[in-house]
Amino acid sequence: MDLVAGAENIIVIMTHASKDGESKLLSQCSLPLTGANCIKRVLTDLAYLEIENGAFVLKERAPGVSVEEIVSKTAGKLIVPDHVPEMHFQ
C-alpha cells in the first residue's frame, strides 16, 4: 500500500539523528520507498527544513540549537541562509 498516494503536502516529523548520533537526513534513502520525491517539509528535534531541488533548506532552528550543530548532524546537502531564526512557541 502506498501511504503517500494522492497526498499533496507530506511533512515528516522525526529525530534529526539516530541514538548513536548518525544523521537521519541523508542525500539518498537506503530503505525501500513507498513514494519518491514527495516530501516537502521535515521537522526534527533540531530544526525545521524544507526540501528544494534535492537539498534540505534550513528555515528555523529549535530553541538553544546552533546552526553549527544542525550542519554537523546533517549528512544530506544542506542550504543554510544568512539568517536562520530560532523557533518561537506560544
Side-chain angles (χ1 to χ4, degrees):
M1 176 171 73
D2 190 347
L3 298 175
V4 296
E8 294 182 18
N9 188 22
I10 306 296
I11 302 170
V12 173
I13 300 173
M14 58 187 264
T15 56
H16 207 96
S18 66
K19 290 179 184 178
D20 61 353
E22 295 295 318
S23 177
K24 289 184 174 182
L25 299 175
L26 308 173
S27 57
Q28 186 172 345
C29 185
S30 60
L31 301 172
L33 297 175
T34 60
N37 300 316
C38 58
I39 298 169
K40 296 182 180 180
R41 296 173 181 87
V42 179
L43 180 62
T44 74
D45 52 332
L46 302 181
Y48 166 66
L49 308 105
E50 293 182 0
I51 299 175
E52 298 176 9
N53 300 317
F56 297 101
V57 180
L58 183 57
K59 296 293 188 178
E60 291 183 296
R61 53 193 172 82
V65 176
S66 69
V67 171
E68 293 77 19
E69 180 179 359
I70 296 164
V71 169
S72 72
K73 292 184 178 177
T74 305
K77 182 178 180 183
L78 178 64
I79 298 170
V80 181
D82 291 335
H83 175 69
V84 181
E86 189 173 277
M87 294 175 192
H88 293 282
F89 302 101
Q90 296 180 359

